[in-house]
Amino acid sequence: MASTLISRASRRFLKHSFPSSGLAIQYPSPSVFNPLISTEPSISINRNFYPSLGPFGQYHHQDSEFESFKTVRSLSNFQFVQHISTSPSSLKEGSEGNKNQSGNVGKANISWIDLYLPKQVQPYAQLARLDKPIGTWLLLWPCMWSITLAATPGQLPDFKMLALFGCGALLLRGAGCTINDLLDRDIDTKVERTKSRPVASGLLTPFQGLCFLGFQLTLGLGILLQLNNYSRVLGASSLLLVFSYPLMKRFTFWPQAYLGLTFNWGALLGWTAIRGSLDPTIVLPLYASGVFWTLVYDTIYAHQDKEDDLKVGVKSTALRFGDFTKEWITGFGIACLGGLALSGYNAEIGWPYYAFLAAASGQLGWQIWIVDLSSRADCNSKFNSNKWFGAIIFGGILAGKLVS
């Protein structure tokens, strides 16, 4: 009712205030302006009447009558403003937008899982983190490094083996996430970033999670059986690390080191899948470099949750290192690059490898140097950038093997 009276009053005021002003005002047919069913009233400006109109159509607002027109026109749109400002969803979105602008990570955006998968399948896809492929990449790169290092000099790596390990990384990473969510469901409910996970939020029961884990491990076994006997035993032995890793944060400040031992097992497995045995002079430095690399990126990642970890009582290298984090991860980065250089030297790899290694050094140094450990968004961004570090090293090994 109030908006109707204001709208009528504004039109009456405009009619008497601008009889020959050069402003042609056309109102929509409804008596009350409703933005949901109408467009804005069209306004045509007489440029001769308003010499202050800029070359690109911008207004310099030098005319007092034009200011009066703007004021009244704002009142006539009162209904539109009232509709937006009192919408609960708009208030919520605005609050989340402000939170994101302050550098904090807000709620996750809708992913392809929500758009394309059936609702019954969505919780399982989220449990396996299919919408967050960074974990699969970080697990896969050491495998691809090792497979390529084991290739015959001057030839491309075995593409069938690369594909098998790609599928295996996707399945094993998903299984690891399922195990983690089942064991950590009591902790995840207390941490802002993890409380919406399927098991913690109640979308899936622990029994459903266990059944899904059995499905994932069965598919993984099918891939493992494609490898030689040596690799089957070595691959199966990694399950001890996979199952025990989620418990480490309860007992030690070094769960990131334990994750490194787990995530880089493929550096051992990839070589044996091609050669049928291990060469310690090549594979062990490669494995160690992967562990140090994990200490870099997962310590950065752990800084996202350090406040929640303190409240819950779990441990991490982010809490262990505190203000000296950058000094620690710089040391780990140097150790990682040294291990990669030693592995390549022992493998007698060609010179392009070292050029790529220099580029990877720059990428790793960049993320350590500029990461803002107090910003969750920046920590997450730098963590995700490690897929490029892995890709650069892979490109270097491939180029070095082709010319060696």
Side-chain angles (χ1 to χ4, degrees), residues 122-174:
Q122 289 177 11
Y124 296 99
Q126 292 165 354
L127 185 59
R129 312 286 199 274
L130 294 183
D131 56 337
K132 298 176 181 178
I134 180 60
T136 302
W137 282 117
L138 296 176
L139 182 62
L140 178 60
W141 283 128
C143 306
M144 299 182 73
W145 299 346
S146 187
I147 292 170
T148 309
L149 267 178
T152 303
Q155 296 185 13
L156 293 171
D158 188 331
F159 285 104
K160 177 185 176 183
M161 202 59 66
L162 291 175
L164 280 175
F165 273 77
C167 295
L170 181 66
L171 289 169
L172 186 61
R173 188 263 180 147

Side-chain angles (χ1 to χ4, degrees), residues 79-311:
Q79 182 176 354
F80 176 60
V81 174
Q82 183 187 43
H83 171 77
I84 292 180
S85 62
T86 57
S87 169
S89 61
S90 299
L91 291 172
K92 181 179 179 181
E93 290 171 2
S95 174
E96 290 179 357
N98 292 335
K99 185 176 180 181
N100 288 335
Q101 291 176 1
S102 66
N104 295 327
V105 178
K107 291 186 177 181
N109 294 326
I110 294 176
S111 71
W112 63 268
I113 290 177
D114 304 295
L115 295 175
Y116 301 114
L117 294 186
K119 287 190 176 295
Q120 297 85 347
V121 178
Q122 289 177 11
Y124 296 99
Q126 292 165 354
L127 185 59
R129 312 286 199 274
L130 294 183
D131 56 337
K132 298 176 181 178
I134 180 60
T136 302
W137 282 117
L138 296 176
L139 182 62
L140 178 60
W141 283 128
C143 306
M144 299 182 73
W145 299 346
S146 187
I147 292 170
T148 309
L149 267 178
T152 303
Q155 296 185 13
L156 293 171
D158 188 331
F159 285 104
K160 177 185 176 183
M161 202 59 66
L162 291 175
L164 280 175
F165 273 77
C167 295
L170 181 66
L171 289 169
L172 186 61
R173 188 263 180 147
C177 291
T178 302
I179 295 168
N180 182 81
D181 287 10
L182 288 172
L183 295 177
D184 282 356
R185 61 186 185 275
D186 56 330
I187 296 176
D188 286 346
T189 57
K190 304 172 185 177
V191 178
E192 183 66 27
R193 185 178 58 84
T194 60
K195 65 183 182 181
S196 62
R197 288 177 175 173
V199 177
S201 63
L203 286 175
L204 293 177
T205 65
F207 178 73
Q208 288 173 316
L210 281 173
C211 293
F212 183 56
L213 176 61
F215 173 73
Q216 291 171 300
L217 293 178
T218 301
L219 293 179
L221 177 62
I223 292 177
L224 188 63
L225 293 176
Q226 306 297 314
L227 308 181
N228 56 55
N229 289 333
Y230 193 105
S231 300
R232 291 173 185 174
V233 175
L234 187 63
S237 63
S238 69
L239 291 178
L240 177 63
L241 294 170
V242 174
F243 276 90
S244 57
Y245 160 69
L247 302 174
M248 292 299 109
K249 65 174 72 73
R250 294 168 169 84
F251 306 114
T252 177
F253 281 101
W254 293 86
Q256 281 68 32
Y258 203 83
L259 179 66
L261 296 174
T262 307
F263 248 51
N264 293 280
W265 200 256
L268 308 176
L269 191 59
W271 182 277
T272 63
I274 301 297
R275 298 291 184 93
S277 63
L278 285 173
D279 185 341
T281 62
I282 298 174
V283 176
L284 291 184
L286 185 68
Y287 180 58
S289 68
V291 174
F292 286 120
W293 178 41
T294 303
L295 278 165
V296 173
Y297 67 67
D298 208 52
T299 297
I300 292 173
Y301 185 80
H303 270 272
Q304 296 180 95
D305 299 329
K306 55 191 174 185
E307 291 85 4
D308 290 324
D309 288 347
L310 281 172
K311 295 176 185 178

